Amino acid sequence: MAGGHSHGTLPVTAAGQHKNKLRWALALTTGFMAVEVIGALWTGSLALLADAAHMLTDAGGLALALIAIRFAEKPATPQRTYGYVRAEVLSAMANAVVLLVLSIYILYEAYQRFLNPPDILGGPMLVVAVAGLVVNLVSMRLLSSASSESLNVKGAYFEVLSDMLGSLGVIVAALFVMLTGWKLADPIIGAGIGLFIVPRTWILLKQAVHILLEGTPPEVDMALLEKTLLDIKGVRAVHDLHVWTLTSGLDAMTCHLVVDDMTEARQILVAANEAMDEKFGLTHTTIQIEDQALRNAEHPNRF
C-alpha cells in the first residue's frame, strides 16, 4: 500500500485574510454605538436606544469573529492536529443564534409599539439615524467582498446589514412622524426589519451546522469527483471517499484508490492530486493507494 498527502501546514483561513477589515468595522460600530446612546438619552427616543442595543450586538459579533480568527491562527498541536480553525465556524454559528434571538426581540418590540406607540422626537432622531446609516454602509463596504469567502465574516456582515436596516427603518419612521404624525410607522417598519433578517440568518445557521457535521461542500459534485478519479489510467476502484470543510475556504479530501499495478502508484498519486486541485480546488488531500491483488486476497467477496 502507498499513501500520499498534498498538504503541509494549514493555510491562512479565509476570514484571517480580512481581519483588518473586521477591526475597522468593529471600531466604527463601537464608536457610533456610543453616539447613539447619547442621542437616545438626549431625545428620549426608544427607537434610537433599541438601535444602539442592536449595534452593541453587532460589536459583540465582530469582536467574536476577531477572537475566533486569533484562535484559528494558533498552530496545530498533538492534541488538536487541525489547530483551532473550527473556532471560526463556531463563531459564525454563535452569530447566527444571536441574530435569530435579536430578530425575535425586534418582532416582539414591534408588537408592543404597535399596541402603544411611543412618543418620538423626529428631528434629532433623524439626524442620528442618518449618521448611523452612513457608518453601517461604510462597514458593509469593508466586509462585503470577504463575506463571500468566509462564514465567520458573513456572520459579521449580516450583523452590520441588520443594523443598517435598523438605521434605515429609524429614518423612515422619523420621516413619517415628522411629516404625518403617524406613530404606527415605527412598529410596522420594525416588524419588516425582523422578517428580513430571519431567513438570511437561518441560511447562515444551516451552513455552519453543515460544516460542523462534516457535510460535503455544496460546490463539490461527489459523483463527478469519483468519476474523475476512476478515469485516471490504472485506477480500478475508489472507496472510502470523503470530502468535507474544515472552515470557510479550506476543504479536505481523503480516499483509497485500488490499482492493478503498484509500480504505477506514484504516477497515479500525482495524477489524482493534480485532478483534485485543477477540477475541484482541493489541495488538502490524503490519498491511499491499494494493490488490487492484495485487496482481493484480503477481501475475496468484495470484488
Side-chain angles (χ1 to χ4, degrees):
M1 295 186 181
H5 303 264
S6 65
H7 59 275
T9 57
L10 293 174
V12 177
T13 62
Q17 299 171 14
H18 303 285
K19 58 186 176 182
N20 286 334
K21 294 179 180 180
L22 282 168
R23 287 180 182 137
W24 274 106
L26 176 60
L28 288 170
T29 301
T30 304
F32 193 76
M33 178 187 68
V35 173
E36 277 204 319
V37 170
I38 294 172
L41 295 175
W42 172 42
T43 64
S45 169
L46 180 61
L48 275 179
L49 191 60
D51 199 48
H54 196 170
M55 292 197 82
L56 176 62
T57 304
D58 297 346
L62 290 164
L64 187 61
L66 284 166
I67 291 171
I69 290 172
R70 178 68 186 91
F71 273 109
E73 290 174 341
K74 290 186 176 184
T77 67
Q79 292 75 31
R80 293 181 176 84
T81 55
Y82 279 127
Y84 294 83
V85 294
R86 278 288 171 89
E88 292 185 284
V89 182
L90 292 173
S91 172
M93 189 172 185
N95 278 351
V97 171
V98 169
L99 275 167
L100 282 175
V101 173
L102 181 61
S103 300
I104 293 171
Y105 168 76
I106 289 174
L107 293 173
Y108 172 77
E109 190 66 20
Y111 172 73
Q112 294 289 358
R113 292 184 185 186
F114 188 80
L115 295 177
N116 299 294
D119 291 331
I120 299 175
L121 300 178
M125 183 176 71
L126 180 62
V127 172
V128 178
V130 168
L133 178 64
V134 172
V135 169
N136 286 312
L137 288 173
V138 172
S139 296
M140 286 177 63
R141 176 68 176 173
L142 285 170
L143 300 176
S144 60
S145 60
S147 67
S148 63
E149 301 174 18
S150 164
L151 272 182
N152 194 18
V153 180
K154 183 183 287 187
Y157 177 80
F158 280 158
E159 294 270 12
V160 177
L161 171 63
S162 66
D163 196 59
M164 183 276 293
L165 293 171
S167 296
L168 193 60
V170 174
I171 290 172
V172 174
L175 288 173
F176 265 103
V177 171
M178 290 174 62
L179 299 176
T180 69
W182 191 45
K183 296 180 181 180
L184 289 180
D186 182 64
I188 291 173
I189 290 173
I193 293 170
L195 291 173
F196 180 84
I197 295 171
V198 170
R200 288 156 180 78
T201 304
W202 184 251
I203 290 172
L204 174 64
L205 183 60
K206 286 202 304 182
Q207 289 176 331
V209 170
H210 185 74
I211 290 177
L212 291 175
L213 293 177
E214 299 194 345
T216 303
E219 68 276 8
V220 175
D221 184 334
M222 289 295 286
L224 178 60
L225 189 149
E226 184 173 5
K227 182 179 182 301
T228 299
L229 291 171
L230 286 170
D231 286 343
I232 296 173
K233 183 180 179 181
V235 174
R236 180 70 175 272
V238 178
H239 65 93
D240 292 331
L241 175 61
H242 304 282
V243 182
W244 71 100
T245 300
L246 296 172
T247 190
S248 301
L250 181 56
D251 297 329
M253 184 275 278
T254 63
C255 74
H256 289 204
L257 300 181
V258 181
V259 302
D260 288 318
D261 186 355
M262 287 297 290
T263 62
E264 298 178 353
R266 180 175 177 77
Q267 296 94 311
I268 291 172
L269 188 60
V270 170
N273 280 320
E274 288 179 350
M276 294 301 97
D277 185 9
E278 294 172 4
K279 296 186 177 181
F280 301 95
L282 295 169
T283 57
H284 196 81
T285 60
T286 303
I287 300 174
Q288 181 83 31
I289 305 295
E290 296 185 6
D291 188 345
Q292 172 69 60
L294 179 60
R295 185 169 176 80
N296 283 345
E298 293 177 348
H299 307 283
N301 297 323
R302 287 197 178 183
F303 293 95

